[in-house]
Amino acid sequence: MKDFSIRLIWRIFSGIIMVLVVASLTFFLVRMMPGNPVDAQYNQLIMQGMTPVQAQNQVRVMYGFIPHSSLASQYMTYIANLLRLNLGQSVSYEGVSVSHIILNAAPWTLILVFTGLVASFLIGVLAGVIAAIKRSSPMGTTLTISGSLLHGVPQFVMGLLLAYVFTTLWPILPFGAPYDSSIAAGFNLPFVSSLISHAVLPVATYALSSYGGWLLTMKSSVITVLGDDFILASEIRGLKAATRVRYIAHNAILPLFTLFTLSIGFMFGGSVFIENIFDYPGLGNLLLKSIDARDYPLMSGAFLLITIAVIISNIVTDFLYSMVDPRIRR
């Protein structure tokens, strides 16, 4: 227990250091970008009629530091604001804090990407086990071909294809916007039904795009495990088929378990193409708009959220993996 606590504290400490390193890199990258967006914003405010003091204060609110001060001073102010969870104000959403915008967009990405990720993982892993065990049968061949075909289709092609089939050819599902705007938002049946029906196509796009990767990886992993000595020993001992399948699945899923937990961290990056096609107001769409509008405070906040999510998922993966596979603790 003592070793576990020390290891946990060390991992959290190293995670905080990593976040500060990434935040520092983001700060200096913004400052080194062509045209210097901080000075450009300051000059734009001056041209809009603000006094130099007013423009400095406005830029300080947006970016978290005072322009024209020394780089060291700007950096220290930026880190101090960051430790207080003050990410500044958005340039494109005037007067709105970056934290507020990101927190509003995050749930939409969670609905879309997390649901699609879990669905594709469960279906892909199950299909991968069947494809490996039945690899010499028509069923195994069909599953493998389906995984290879879907894995090779880009997300935006899959999204456009599903949108054309189910909203134009057979118009049975809604397209665009996360819900019907004519329905009052709230925890009521019409609104929840609208949310679900509008989420079907984006979630299906993500799930179908990811399904092939899980299937092919699981199939490869299962085939590798099938050649291990303990599987041959279990057959010689006459263990039941269900028990052998449990042994195979437990050992074969370990590499996929790592990929799955890391994918949960990366999901906060959103799925840019899917959210853009279906007009979903998630983090991917937000990041795309912030780049288009050169909204650097919002870009920095989005990158920071993705970094923190990936680091946390790495820490969780490290500890869960050692619980799933006791050999890691040796």
Side-chain angles (χ1 to χ4, degrees), residues 146-244:
S146 71
S148 299
L149 287 176
L150 291 176
H151 189 56
V153 180
Q155 279 189 344
F156 70 93
V157 175
M158 182 69 73
L160 292 174
L161 180 63
L162 290 181
Y164 170 71
V165 172
F166 294 105
T167 64
T168 303
L169 195 59
W170 298 312
I172 57 176
L173 288 171
F175 176 74
Y179 56 86
D180 190 344
S181 59
S182 64
I183 300 175
F187 191 70
N188 54 72
L189 185 59
F191 182 71
V192 173
S193 301
S194 177
L195 275 179
I196 294 173
S197 61
H198 280 78
V200 169
L201 285 180
V203 171
T205 301
Y206 189 92
L208 288 173
S209 300
S210 307
Y211 155 82
W214 296 121
L215 184 150
L216 297 175
T217 308
M218 187 63 184
K219 179 189 174 184
S220 174
S221 185
V222 169
I223 290 175
T224 302
V225 173
L226 284 173
D228 287 347
D229 293 339
F230 74 93
I231 297 297
L232 178 61
S234 66
E235 291 177 358
I236 294 173
R237 290 173 59 192
L239 295 182
K240 295 179 180 177
T243 306
R244 293 204 303 273

XYZ file of all heavy atoms in Angstrom, residues 146-244:
742
model
N -14.572 -7.102 -43.624
C -15.353 -5.931 -43.191
C -14.473 -4.971 -42.385
O -14.558 -3.749 -42.548
C -16.560 -6.374 -42.356
O -16.148 -6.861 -41.084
N -13.613 -5.535 -41.511
C -12.724 -4.682 -40.725
C -11.720 -3.953 -41.599
O -11.467 -2.752 -41.408
N -11.153 -4.653 -42.584
C -10.162 -4.032 -43.474
C -10.794 -2.920 -44.306
O -10.207 -1.842 -44.483
C -9.558 -5.095 -44.406
O -8.907 -6.106 -43.665
N -12.004 -3.165 -44.826
C -12.668 -2.158 -45.645
C -13.017 -0.909 -44.837
O -12.725 0.217 -45.245
C -13.944 -2.746 -46.259
C -13.748 -3.758 -47.396
C -15.085 -4.335 -47.839
C -13.054 -3.094 -48.581
N -13.632 -1.123 -43.671
C -14.060 0.032 -42.866
C -12.867 0.791 -42.300
O -12.918 2.013 -42.124
C -14.975 -0.439 -41.729
C -16.347 -0.957 -42.171
C -17.132 -1.495 -40.984
C -17.139 0.166 -42.843
N -11.775 0.059 -42.001
C -10.587 0.717 -41.457
C -9.938 1.630 -42.498
O -9.268 2.609 -42.142
C -9.579 -0.357 -41.014
C -8.423 0.206 -40.247
N -8.577 0.978 -39.103
C -7.079 0.126 -40.450
C -7.394 1.335 -38.651
N -6.467 0.840 -39.447
N -10.152 1.326 -43.766
C -9.528 2.127 -44.830
C -10.359 3.315 -45.281
O -9.899 4.103 -46.106
N -11.592 3.442 -44.762
C -12.450 4.565 -45.164
C -12.221 5.743 -44.228
O -12.419 5.620 -43.017
C -13.943 4.148 -45.134
C -14.823 5.323 -45.542
C -14.188 2.966 -46.060
N -11.823 6.912 -44.742
C -11.631 8.084 -43.876
C -12.930 8.496 -43.190
O -14.021 8.260 -43.722
C -11.148 9.172 -44.846
C -10.644 8.446 -46.038
C -11.473 7.191 -46.143
N -12.790 9.127 -42.034
C -13.978 9.517 -41.255
C -14.889 10.454 -42.031
O -16.117 10.305 -41.986
C -13.548 10.184 -39.952
C -13.163 9.230 -38.845
C -12.967 9.926 -37.528
O -12.831 11.145 -37.474
N -12.953 9.164 -36.457
N -14.310 11.414 -42.759
C -15.191 12.369 -43.437
C -15.952 11.705 -44.582
O -17.104 12.067 -44.864
C -14.388 13.587 -43.933
C -13.459 13.310 -45.084
C -13.879 13.507 -46.396
C -12.178 12.866 -44.863
C -13.031 13.263 -47.457
C -11.319 12.614 -45.915
C -11.740 12.805 -47.209
N -15.340 10.692 -45.234
C -16.055 9.954 -46.291
C -17.188 9.139 -45.673
O -18.315 9.115 -46.201
C -15.082 9.034 -47.055
C -15.843 8.174 -48.062
C -14.016 9.861 -47.768
N -16.894 8.477 -44.546
C -17.926 7.699 -43.859
C -19.085 8.604 -43.429
O -20.273 8.253 -43.590
C -17.325 7.016 -42.637
C -18.280 6.123 -41.860
S -18.727 4.644 -42.768
C -17.169 3.739 -42.634
N -18.768 9.776 -42.881
C -19.806 10.708 -42.432
C -20.669 11.191 -43.579
O -21.909 11.211 -43.479
N -20.043 11.576 -44.681
C -20.805 12.055 -45.844
C -21.668 10.943 -46.432
O -22.807 11.184 -46.846
C -19.839 12.599 -46.905
C -19.100 13.894 -46.533
C -18.065 14.241 -47.588
C -20.094 15.045 -46.369
N -21.124 9.715 -46.457
C -21.873 8.581 -47.011
C -23.117 8.289 -46.163
O -24.225 8.133 -46.708
C -20.967 7.349 -47.061
C -21.596 6.065 -47.622
C -21.991 6.271 -49.080
C -20.627 4.883 -47.502
N -22.941 8.223 -44.837
C -24.092 7.962 -43.952
C -25.109 9.094 -44.035
O -26.325 8.858 -44.025
C -23.612 7.780 -42.511
C -22.817 6.510 -42.208
C -22.422 6.458 -40.741
C -23.629 5.262 -42.558
N -24.607 10.321 -44.116
C -25.521 11.467 -44.205
C -26.339 11.395 -45.499
O -27.554 11.665 -45.485
C -24.721 12.767 -44.152
N -25.684 11.031 -46.602
C -26.415 10.938 -47.877
C -27.460 9.818 -47.839
O -28.614 10.016 -48.258
C -25.419 10.668 -49.014
C -26.103 10.321 -50.324
C -26.790 11.292 -51.050
C -26.066 9.012 -50.817
C -27.434 10.970 -52.238
C -26.706 8.686 -52.009
C -27.396 9.670 -52.712
O -28.043 9.350 -53.878
N -27.070 8.644 -47.305
C -27.974 7.484 -47.313
C -29.178 7.716 -46.403
O -30.328 7.477 -46.796
C -27.216 6.209 -46.884
C -28.195 5.044 -46.699
C -26.153 5.847 -47.918
N -28.927 8.206 -45.172
C -30.007 8.253 -44.176
C -30.686 9.616 -44.026
O -31.599 9.761 -43.210
C -29.464 7.805 -42.811
C -29.058 6.353 -42.799
C -27.714 5.990 -42.818
C -30.015 5.351 -42.784
C -27.337 4.653 -42.822
C -29.644 4.017 -42.782
C -28.297 3.661 -42.815
N -30.223 10.617 -44.761
C -30.943 11.899 -44.713
C -31.436 12.347 -46.089
O -32.297 13.211 -46.176
C -30.040 13.021 -44.137
O -28.939 13.246 -45.016
C -29.533 12.655 -42.761
N -30.866 11.761 -47.158
C -31.301 12.151 -48.512
C -31.959 10.978 -49.235
O -33.094 11.091 -49.712
C -30.089 12.643 -49.327
O -29.466 13.728 -48.636
C -30.529 13.116 -50.705
N -31.228 9.844 -49.330
C -31.769 8.683 -50.039
C -32.957 8.094 -49.283
O -34.023 7.850 -49.856
C -30.652 7.643 -50.194
C -30.898 6.514 -51.202
C -31.125 7.074 -52.597
C -29.724 5.529 -51.215
N -32.764 7.838 -48.004
C -33.845 7.412 -47.094
C -33.886 8.400 -45.927
O -33.191 8.217 -44.919
C -33.592 5.994 -46.548
C -33.556 4.932 -47.605
C -34.446 4.739 -48.607
C -32.556 3.917 -47.748
N -34.077 3.669 -49.383
C -32.927 3.135 -48.880
C -31.405 3.560 -47.059
C -32.176 2.062 -49.308
C -30.664 2.495 -47.482
C -31.038 1.754 -48.602
N -34.667 9.428 -46.040
C -34.643 10.477 -44.989
C -35.344 10.027 -43.706
O -36.475 10.430 -43.411
C -35.378 11.644 -45.663
C -36.258 11.010 -46.679
C -35.566 9.777 -47.162
N -34.655 9.200 -42.943
C -35.247 8.685 -41.698
C -34.557 9.251 -40.457
O -35.013 9.032 -39.337
C -35.188 7.141 -41.655
C -33.743 6.655 -41.805
C -36.078 6.543 -42.726
C -33.595 5.151 -41.678
N -33.439 9.947 -40.635
C -32.728 10.520 -39.487
C -32.464 12.002 -39.725
O -32.286 12.435 -40.875
C -31.392 9.788 -39.269
C -31.494 8.357 -38.719
C -30.132 7.681 -38.755
C -32.051 8.352 -37.299
N -32.429 12.798 -38.662
C -32.160 14.244 -38.819
C -30.704 14.498 -39.148
O -29.832 13.670 -38.881
C -32.544 14.815 -37.449
C -32.356 13.689 -36.502
C -32.683 12.428 -37.262
N -30.445 15.662 -39.719
C -29.080 16.021 -40.105
C -28.803 17.466 -39.680
O -29.617 18.354 -39.882
C -28.926 15.898 -41.629
C -27.570 16.334 -42.130
C -26.463 15.532 -41.921
C -27.405 17.545 -42.785
C -25.208 15.924 -42.373
C -26.154 17.938 -43.247
C -25.064 17.119 -43.032
N -27.632 17.682 -39.082
C -27.249 19.032 -38.679
C -27.836 19.408 -37.338
O -28.993 19.087 -37.051
N -27.035 20.091 -36.510
C -27.429 20.547 -35.170
C -27.552 19.357 -34.215
O -27.903 18.248 -34.621
C -28.737 21.326 -35.203
N -27.271 19.565 -32.946
C -27.303 18.451 -31.981
C -28.699 18.082 -31.510
O -28.899 17.031 -30.915
C -26.459 18.975 -30.813
C -26.596 20.454 -30.905
C -26.726 20.786 -32.355
N -29.691 18.970 -31.762
C -31.086 18.683 -31.373
C -32.011 19.626 -32.126
O -31.558 20.606 -32.745
C -31.287 18.816 -29.854
C -30.894 20.155 -29.287
C -31.776 21.219 -29.271
C -29.623 20.354 -28.765
C -31.412 22.452 -28.756
C -29.245 21.571 -28.257
C -30.136 22.621 -28.253
O -29.758 23.848 -27.753
N -33.304 19.311 -32.076
C -34.304 20.141 -32.742
C -34.501 21.429 -31.939
O -34.935 21.385 -30.779
C -35.625 19.355 -32.852
C -36.635 20.059 -33.733
O -36.435 21.259 -34.000
O -37.611 19.414 -34.151
N -34.210 22.559 -32.553
C -34.274 23.836 -31.826
C -35.703 24.238 -31.467
O -35.907 25.125 -30.632
C -33.620 24.947 -32.660
O -34.282 25.064 -33.911
N -36.705 23.598 -32.102
C -38.092 23.965 -31.785
C -38.570 23.323 -30.488
O -39.647 23.661 -29.986
C -39.018 23.539 -32.943
O -39.022 22.123 -33.081
N -37.774 22.387 -29.936
C -38.142 21.711 -28.682
C -37.451 22.399 -27.514
O -36.254 22.718 -27.595
C -37.741 20.218 -28.736
C -38.454 19.520 -29.901
C -38.072 19.519 -27.429
C -38.021 18.088 -30.100
N -38.194 22.624 -26.447
C -37.619 23.288 -25.265
C -36.550 22.396 -24.653
O -36.797 21.216 -24.376
C -38.719 23.576 -24.248
N -35.341 22.973 -24.461
C -34.237 22.204 -23.891
C -34.504 21.901 -22.422
O -35.020 22.738 -21.686
C -32.937 22.990 -24.030
N -34.173 20.687 -22.001
C -34.394 20.283 -20.610
C -34.495 18.774 -20.517
O -34.424 18.061 -21.527
N -34.655 18.301 -19.290
C -34.739 16.856 -19.084
C -36.181 16.399 -19.282
O -36.923 16.143 -18.343
C -34.235 16.495 -17.687
C -34.033 15.007 -17.503
C -33.013 14.339 -18.158
C -34.873 14.277 -16.679
C -32.833 12.982 -17.994
C -34.702 12.915 -16.506
C -33.682 12.270 -17.166
N -36.602 16.361 -20.540
C -37.946 15.885 -20.868
C -37.838 14.930 -22.058
O -36.850 14.959 -22.810
C -38.890 17.054 -21.182
C -38.335 17.957 -22.266
O -38.298 17.569 -23.431
N -37.864 19.152 -21.894
N -38.858 14.095 -22.248
C -38.797 13.035 -23.255
C -38.599 13.551 -24.675
O -37.748 13.028 -25.406
C -40.063 12.170 -23.169
C -40.084 10.941 -24.081
C -38.914 10.016 -23.777
C -41.418 10.191 -23.943
N -39.338 14.587 -25.120
C -39.127 15.075 -26.499
C -37.692 15.550 -26.737
O -37.111 15.281 -27.789
C -40.133 16.223 -26.630
C -41.181 15.915 -25.621
C -40.483 15.265 -24.475
N -37.137 16.262 -25.750
C -35.784 16.780 -25.926
C -34.754 15.648 -25.932
O -33.836 15.633 -26.760
C -35.454 17.776 -24.818
C -34.093 18.403 -24.957
C -33.838 19.323 -25.968
C -33.061 18.053 -24.103
C -32.577 19.886 -26.107
C -31.802 18.607 -24.247
C -31.559 19.538 -25.248
N -34.903 14.691 -24.998
C -33.964 13.560 -24.950
C -34.059 12.739 -26.233
O -33.037 12.313 -26.794
C -34.247 12.681 -23.712
C -33.386 11.414 -23.743
C -33.973 13.459 -22.428
N -35.285 12.530 -26.725
C -35.469 11.796 -27.986
C -34.799 12.523 -29.150
O -34.171 11.898 -30.018
C -36.959 11.616 -28.285
O -37.596 10.919 -27.244
N -34.925 13.842 -29.156
C -34.298 14.627 -30.208
C -32.775 14.525 -30.133
O -32.093 14.406 -31.159
C -34.727 16.091 -30.084
O -34.084 16.885 -31.042
N -32.242 14.568 -28.901
C -30.793 14.424 -28.725
C -30.296 13.088 -29.280
O -29.288 13.023 -29.995
C -30.439 14.502 -27.233
C -30.246 15.867 -26.592
C -29.931 15.702 -25.110
C -29.119 16.621 -27.278
N -31.030 12.024 -28.936
C -30.600 10.685 -29.355
C -30.673 10.536 -30.872
O -29.740 10.039 -31.510
C -31.466 9.613 -28.658
C -31.198 9.628 -27.151
C -31.176 8.218 -29.229
C -32.108 8.723 -26.347
N -31.806 10.991 -31.465
C -31.962 10.829 -32.921
C -30.916 11.641 -33.694
O -30.414 11.197 -34.726
C -33.372 11.242 -33.349
O -33.598 12.610 -33.041
N -30.542 12.828 -33.189
C -29.528 13.639 -33.855
C -28.120 13.071 -33.639
O -27.206 13.373 -34.417
C -29.572 15.082 -33.347
C -30.657 15.912 -33.957
N -31.974 15.828 -33.563
C -30.633 16.833 -34.949
C -32.708 16.669 -34.275
N -31.917 17.300 -35.123
N -27.952 12.267 -32.578
C -26.610 11.722 -32.280
C -26.338 10.410 -33.010
O -25.182 9.965 -33.050
C -26.464 11.513 -30.773
N -27.394 9.800 -33.577
C -27.223 8.475 -34.187
C -26.172 8.491 -35.301
O -25.232 7.680 -35.317
C -28.574 7.959 -34.732
C -28.351 6.723 -35.604
C -29.512 7.611 -33.586
N -26.304 9.406 -36.240
C -25.383 9.427 -37.386
C -23.940 9.780 -36.984
O -22.999 9.092 -37.416
C -25.898 10.383 -38.457
C -27.079 9.869 -39.285
C -27.513 10.915 -40.315
C -26.711 8.578 -40.001
N -23.714 10.833 -36.174
C -22.324 11.116 -35.768
C -21.686 9.961 -34.987
O -20.534 9.607 -35.229
C -22.457 12.361 -34.885
C -23.742 12.970 -35.233
C -24.635 11.874 -35.695
N -22.453 9.367 -34.056
C -21.908 8.254 -33.271
C -21.633 7.051 -34.169
O -20.592 6.384 -34.046
C -22.877 7.878 -32.125
C -22.430 6.582 -31.447
C -22.952 8.993 -31.099
N -22.569 6.765 -35.091
C -22.376 5.632 -36.005
C -21.155 5.853 -36.895
O -20.401 4.919 -37.178
C -23.626 5.443 -36.866
N -20.946 7.097 -37.315
C -19.767 7.412 -38.144
C -18.479 7.116 -37.381
O -17.557 6.473 -37.901
C -19.790 8.892 -38.564
O -20.984 9.155 -39.287
C -18.594 9.232 -39.433
N -18.428 7.582 -36.139
C -17.212 7.347 -35.334
C -17.025 5.856 -35.062
O -15.905 5.333 -35.167
C -17.308 8.113 -34.014
C -16.019 8.098 -33.231
C -15.087 9.126 -33.386
C -15.712 7.060 -32.365
C -13.889 9.104 -32.697
C -14.520 7.025 -31.671
C -13.615 8.055 -31.831
O -12.434 8.024 -31.145
N -18.134 5.179 -34.708
C -18.031 3.754 -34.358
C -17.589 2.924 -35.566
O -16.710 2.065 -35.450
C -19.371 3.257 -33.829
N -18.185 3.177 -36.735
C -17.815 2.405 -37.927
C -16.379 2.692 -38.366
O -15.675 1.798 -38.839
C -18.779 2.725 -39.078
C -20.195 2.158 -38.933
C -21.103 2.670 -40.045
C -20.150 0.623 -38.958
N -15.932 3.940 -38.183
C -14.561 4.290 -38.567
C -13.536 3.626 -37.654
O -12.417 3.330 -38.078
C -14.373 5.812 -38.524
O -15.257 6.451 -39.402
N -13.901 3.405 -36.395
C -12.957 2.831 -35.427
C -13.059 1.314 -35.330
O -12.124 0.659 -34.856
C -13.219 3.434 -34.034
O -13.210 4.828 -34.076
N -14.190 0.763 -35.750
C -14.458 -0.661 -35.592
C -13.371 -1.539 -36.220
O -12.890 -2.504 -35.617
C -15.841 -0.952 -36.204
C -16.064 -2.360 -36.683
C -16.429 -3.366 -35.793
C -15.923 -2.688 -38.042
C -16.640 -4.668 -36.248
C -16.135 -3.972 -38.494
C -16.483 -4.957 -37.595
O -16.691 -6.239 -38.039
N -12.956 -1.200 -37.436
C -11.982 -2.021 -38.158
C -10.653 -2.126 -37.421
O -10.038 -3.200 -37.373
N -10.214 -1.021 -36.835
C -8.937 -1.030 -36.118
C -8.959 -1.963 -34.916
O -8.028 -2.739 -34.686
N -10.056 -1.888 -34.124
C -10.173 -2.787 -32.960
C -10.239 -4.242 -33.410
O -9.619 -5.117 -32.791
C -11.431 -2.447 -32.154
C -11.444 -1.084 -31.530
C -12.352 -0.090 -31.730
C -10.498 -0.552 -30.593
N -12.040 1.016 -30.999
C -10.916 0.758 -30.279
C -9.350 -1.049 -29.993
C -10.208 1.575 -29.398
C -8.642 -0.235 -29.104
C -9.071 1.054 -28.812
N -11.024 -4.499 -34.470
C -11.186 -5.886 -34.939
C -9.848 -6.484 -35.380
O -9.465 -7.584 -34.955
C -12.183 -5.921 -36.100
C -12.556 -7.306 -36.652
C -13.974 -7.282 -37.204
C -11.605 -7.779 -37.751
N -9.121 -5.753 -36.222
C -7.866 -6.286 -36.752
C -6.814 -6.448 -35.664
O -6.061 -7.427 -35.648
C -7.354 -5.365 -37.869
C -8.265 -5.251 -39.101
C -7.725 -4.223 -40.081
C -8.412 -6.610 -39.785
N -6.767 -5.493 -34.728
C -5.792 -5.592 -33.629
C -6.117 -6.762 -32.716
O -5.223 -7.519 -32.310
C -5.779 -4.287 -32.820
O -5.594 -3.182 -33.696
C -4.653 -4.301 -31.784
N -7.409 -6.929 -32.404
C -7.800 -8.037 -31.520
C -7.568 -9.373 -32.204
O -7.116 -10.336 -31.567
C -9.285 -7.893 -31.142
C -9.747 -8.887 -30.087
S -8.873 -8.633 -28.515
C -9.529 -9.977 -27.531
N -7.866 -9.449 -33.491
C -7.645 -10.707 -34.216
C -6.166 -11.086 -34.177
O -5.806 -12.244 -33.895
C -8.118 -10.568 -35.667
C -7.900 -11.831 -36.483
C -8.176 -11.622 -37.958
C -7.788 -12.884 -38.745
N -7.932 -12.707 -40.187
N -5.300 -10.128 -34.459
C -3.855 -10.387 -34.438
C -3.395 -10.821 -33.051
O -2.594 -11.755 -32.909
C -3.114 -9.126 -34.883
O -1.730 -9.299 -34.745
N -3.914 -10.149 -32.028
C -3.514 -10.477 -30.655
C -3.980 -11.879 -30.254
O -3.237 -12.636 -29.613
C -4.099 -9.426 -29.701
O -3.641 -9.636 -28.400
N -5.213 -12.233 -30.639
C -5.746 -13.558 -30.299
C -4.948 -14.653 -30.997
O -4.616 -15.686 -30.399
C -7.247 -13.652 -30.675
C -7.742 -15.094 -30.579
C -8.070 -12.773 -29.760
N -4.622 -14.432 -32.266
C -3.849 -15.441 -33.003
C -2.482 -15.653 -32.354
O -1.987 -16.783 -32.255
C -3.697 -15.001 -34.483
C -5.049 -15.104 -35.189
C -2.672 -15.868 -35.201
C -5.043 -14.585 -36.610
N -1.888 -14.577 -31.859
C -0.590 -14.703 -31.173
C -0.731 -15.532 -29.899
O 0.094 -16.410 -29.603
C -0.051 -13.299 -30.823
O 0.067 -12.537 -32.020
C 1.304 -13.388 -30.147
N -1.797 -15.254 -29.140
C -2.011 -15.979 -27.884
C -2.324 -17.452 -28.142
O -1.923 -18.324 -27.356
C -3.152 -15.306 -27.073
C -3.518 -16.142 -25.851
C -2.736 -13.917 -26.652
N -3.027 -17.724 -29.251
C -3.385 -19.121 -29.549
C -2.152 -20.010 -29.698
O -2.223 -21.223 -29.501
C -4.213 -19.171 -30.851
C -5.673 -18.730 -30.742
C -6.323 -18.672 -32.116
C -6.445 -19.668 -29.823
N -1.005 -19.416 -30.042
C 0.210 -20.202 -30.210
C 1.002 -20.386 -28.922
O 2.048 -21.041 -28.930
N 0.521 -19.803 -27.811
C 1.248 -19.921 -26.539
C 1.107 -21.317 -25.945
O 0.116 -22.025 -26.175
C 0.743 -18.880 -25.545
C 1.218 -17.467 -25.909
O 2.121 -17.365 -26.759
O 0.672 -16.504 -25.357
N 2.101 -21.681 -25.107
C 2.121 -23.024 -24.528
C 0.949 -23.280 -23.576
O 0.444 -24.393 -23.488
C 3.447 -23.238 -23.780
C 4.626 -23.272 -24.747
O 4.388 -23.537 -25.937
O 5.764 -23.025 -24.300
N 0.537 -22.222 -22.838
C -0.523 -22.461 -21.843
C -1.854 -22.807 -22.509
O -2.694 -23.486 -21.906
C -0.665 -21.262 -20.897
C -1.332 -20.060 -21.508
C -2.703 -19.870 -21.381
C -0.593 -19.105 -22.192
C -3.322 -18.761 -21.907
C -1.207 -17.995 -22.735
C -2.569 -17.825 -22.589
N -2.060 -22.359 -23.751
C -3.289 -22.727 -24.453
C -3.230 -24.208 -24.840
O -4.212 -24.957 -24.670
C -3.467 -21.857 -25.717
C -3.612 -20.388 -25.302
C -4.678 -22.316 -26.519
C -4.837 -20.124 -24.448
N -2.045 -24.651 -25.315
C -1.881 -26.063 -25.651
C -2.044 -26.921 -24.392
O -2.703 -27.977 -24.420
C -0.494 -26.286 -26.269
C -0.148 -27.734 -26.634
C -1.128 -28.271 -27.670
C 1.295 -27.821 -27.157
N -1.492 -26.437 -23.272
C -1.609 -27.186 -22.016
C -3.066 -27.287 -21.567
O -3.500 -28.337 -21.060
C -0.768 -26.508 -20.933
N -3.829 -26.192 -21.754
C -5.243 -26.228 -21.347
C -6.032 -27.214 -22.205
O -6.969 -27.865 -21.715
C -5.858 -24.829 -21.454
O -5.899 -24.407 -22.808
N -5.651 -27.346 -23.495
C -6.327 -28.319 -24.354
C -5.985 -29.742 -23.922
O -6.852 -30.628 -23.880
C -5.919 -28.095 -25.812
C -6.449 -26.806 -26.421
C -5.964 -26.587 -27.842
O -5.176 -27.435 -28.334
O -6.359 -25.584 -28.449
N -4.701 -29.972 -23.588
C -4.281 -31.312 -23.162
C -4.961 -31.704 -21.857
O -5.358 -32.863 -21.659
C -2.744 -31.343 -23.011
C -2.083 -31.155 -24.377
C -2.279 -32.653 -22.384
C -0.585 -31.006 -24.325
N -5.128 -30.702 -20.963
C -5.781 -31.000 -19.677
C -7.286 -31.182 -19.836
O -7.969 -31.565 -18.894
C -5.513 -29.863 -18.688
C -4.065 -29.802 -18.209
C -3.843 -28.562 -17.372
N -4.737 -28.537 -16.215
C -4.919 -27.462 -15.444
N -4.274 -26.328 -15.748
N -5.731 -27.512 -14.413
N -7.814 -30.888 -21.016
C -9.232 -31.109 -21.264
C -10.147 -30.046 -20.672
O -11.311 -30.327 -20.349
N -9.627 -28.810 -20.527
C -10.474 -27.736 -20.005
C -11.593 -27.409 -20.984
O -11.455 -27.601 -22.197
C -9.628 -26.480 -19.755
C -8.560 -26.590 -18.662
C -7.842 -25.255 -18.500
C -9.179 -27.014 -17.333
N -12.689 -26.924 -20.448
C -13.842 -26.596 -21.289
C -13.479 -25.488 -22.279
O -12.617 -24.643 -22.013
C -15.019 -26.139 -20.424
C -15.560 -27.225 -19.519
C -16.710 -26.684 -18.671
C -17.271 -27.767 -17.742
N -18.330 -27.253 -16.859
N -14.191 -25.490 -23.419
C -13.932 -24.478 -24.452
C -14.161 -23.068 -23.915
O -13.404 -22.134 -24.223
C -14.832 -24.734 -25.662
N -15.206 -22.896 -23.084
C -15.500 -21.575 -22.529
C -14.348 -21.093 -21.651
O -13.990 -19.899 -21.657
C -16.804 -21.633 -21.717
N -13.742 -21.990 -20.896
C -12.613 -21.617 -20.036
C -11.405 -21.213 -20.877
O -10.715 -20.232 -20.574
C -12.236 -22.795 -19.122
O -13.390 -23.226 -18.402
C -11.150 -22.398 -18.137
N -11.163 -21.968 -21.958
C -10.020 -21.638 -22.823
C -10.228 -20.274 -23.492
O -9.286 -19.481 -23.609
C -9.834 -22.719 -23.890
C -9.396 -24.075 -23.329
C -8.685 -24.894 -24.412
N -9.513 -25.088 -25.590
C -10.392 -26.073 -25.745
N -10.560 -26.962 -24.769
N -11.106 -26.177 -26.838
